[in-house]
Amino acid sequence: METQVYDVAIIGGGPAGLTAALYTARANLKTLVLAGEKPGGQLTLTTTVENFPGFPDGIEGPDLMVKMRSQAAKFGAKVLEKNVLKIQRNATNYQLLTTDSLFVSRAVIIATGADTKWLGLPNEQRLIGHGVSSCAPCDAFFFRNKKVAVVGGGDSACEEALYLTKFASEVTIIHRRDALRASKIMQDRVKNNPKIKIMFNTEVVDILGKTKVEGLLLKDNSQLSSLNSPFMTDGLFVAIGHSPNSELFEKFVDRDEKGYITRAKIPGLFIAGDVADHQYRQAITAAAYGCMAAMNLEKWLGENG
């Protein structure tokens, strides 16, 4: 089994991890990025990204990740598409175990992100980036003067719906229960917005459209009938929550009730990006967190020999 020693190991290959790698590599720290077998984070599921600074004409999400990876590698960061299976800590360093290698590092940045909770519909994954989205601030602009639907009943769904009203002509919240779970203030904002309609006791059974979203197939939970009815819409925003990828580190960090990391409990461990951010979940904020984690890590290494 291969064993290598690094100054910093970064777990995660999205905007947070790759930005952190850029900063640590430029600081002349021997940097390893264990990006996972599906690197790139949430941006690999998007098409055109228009809100990342420096790209006035927009850039495809996967292309942005390739550029960020190339920039980190240019300064010496080693990026491997390996999944970390286990992490251990001794008196002086960390050991990271993958399927075929053991890597040793003086410090670690956790940048494993958060996964969108999807509905599991037959055509859902195929149409992500083609009318199916999980991020209104990322994609609302593409639905100017169009009709869109939001699935969910919590604060996230209400926030997505309200944001979408800035662009869409009509927003429909689809919720499988008979009442929203969102806070009262969010419910009041939604119900008082003339652009928003709410469909209670309704489930999305499938998404209609070959190359883009053209409608939804809906089930009325209040009826005993098994018949499904079509609902025409240009886009579907899934807002049923996110799952932070934090379980691997539960012995070394504190987490909130949803699993987001709130702080590291041991020295030499730093956190960046969506694995700790349940509020913004943007590429630019993830990159900023990656920068901060890298600079804090560099300072910590300097103070600890």
Side-chain angles (χ1 to χ4, degrees):
M1 181 177 288
E2 179 186 5
T3 303
Q4 297 191 33
V5 181
Y6 292 84
D7 293 317
V8 52
I10 299 166
I11 307 174
L18 293 175
T19 302
L22 171 63
Y23 272 78
T24 57
R26 289 187 74 251
N28 205 29
L29 298 176
K30 189 175 182 182
T31 299
L32 170 69
V33 180
L34 295 171
E37 294 176 359
K38 296 180 180 179
Q42 297 270 10
L43 282 186
T44 59
L45 301 176
T46 65
T47 49
T48 305
V49 177
E50 293 188 324
N51 58 1
F52 198 91
F55 299 95
D57 297 322
I59 183 173
E60 297 294 298
D63 292 341
L64 178 58
M65 288 294 87
V66 169
K67 288 181 179 293
M68 293 182 76
R69 179 169 175 164
S70 297
Q71 191 173 4
K74 173 185 176 181
F75 290 99
K78 184 174 184 178
V79 183
L80 300 176
E81 294 180 0
K82 293 178 180 287
N83 289 334
V84 176
L85 304 178
K86 188 176 182 180
I87 179 172
Q88 298 181 128
R89 165 79 177 172
N90 63 23
T92 58
N93 55 45
Y94 289 87
Q95 299 85 44
L96 305 175
L97 182 68
T98 67
T99 53
D100 59 359
S101 302
L102 177 65
F103 298 97
V104 178
S105 178
R106 297 171 62 198
V108 168
I109 294 176
I110 298 173
T112 45
D115 292 333
T116 296
K117 293 181 180 178
W118 296 104
L119 297 168
L121 306 176
N123 290 310
E124 185 176 41
Q125 295 298 309
R126 179 174 64 81
L127 291 172
I128 290 174
H130 301 281
V132 174
S133 174
S134 63
C135 178
C138 307
D139 298 327
F141 180 81
F142 301 113
F143 296 91
R144 185 179 293 274
N145 299 321
K146 294 184 178 182
K147 296 181 179 181
V148 297
V150 177
V151 178
D155 280 353
S156 294
C158 291
E159 287 170 4
E160 293 277 288
L162 289 165
Y163 191 92
L164 286 163
T165 59
K166 299 176 183 179
F167 301 90
S169 60
E170 182 180 298
V171 180
T172 302
I173 296 177
I174 300 173
H175 186 42
R176 61 181 179 175
R177 297 188 173 90
D178 60 1
L180 297 176
R181 295 178 290 104
S183 59
K184 185 179 184 303
I185 187 171
M186 292 303 297
Q187 291 194 43
D188 289 343
R189 288 175 183 173
V190 162
K191 292 174 181 177
N192 291 327
N193 192 305
K195 279 192 175 183
I196 298 177
K197 300 178 181 179
I198 306 175
M199 297 179 69
F200 291 111
N201 296 308
T202 304
E203 272 188 71
V204 180
V205 177
D206 204 358
I207 305 169
L208 306 175
K210 291 185 177 180
T211 59
K212 63 178 182 178
V213 173
E214 296 175 0
L216 306 173
L217 206 56
L218 302 182
K219 175 186 176 184
D220 186 345
N221 288 338
S222 65
Q223 303 292 328
L224 296 177
S225 171
S226 60
L227 293 177
N228 300 320
S229 57
F231 176 80
M232 296 301 104
T233 186
D234 300 300
L236 174 65
F237 286 77
V238 179
I240 58 174
H242 290 74
S243 298
N245 299 309
S246 62
E247 288 186 9
L248 183 66
F249 317 104
E250 59 182 347
K251 294 193 300 184
F252 307 113
V253 300
D254 286 332
R255 302 188 296 168
D256 66 15
E257 67 279 2
K258 294 183 179 179
Y260 288 93
I261 297 176
T262 56
R263 73 178 186 97
K265 295 193 292 187
I266 54 177
L269 187 64
F270 300 86
I271 318 298
D274 286 8
V275 73
D277 174 24
H278 61 82
Q279 183 174 0
Y280 300 104
R281 294 194 295 268
Q282 300 295 299
I284 190 65
T285 51
Y289 284 129
C291 164
M292 291 186 285
M295 294 180 74
N296 289 336
L297 180 147
E298 181 186 359
K299 180 181 179 182
W300 180 84
L301 283 177
E303 292 173 348
N304 290 273

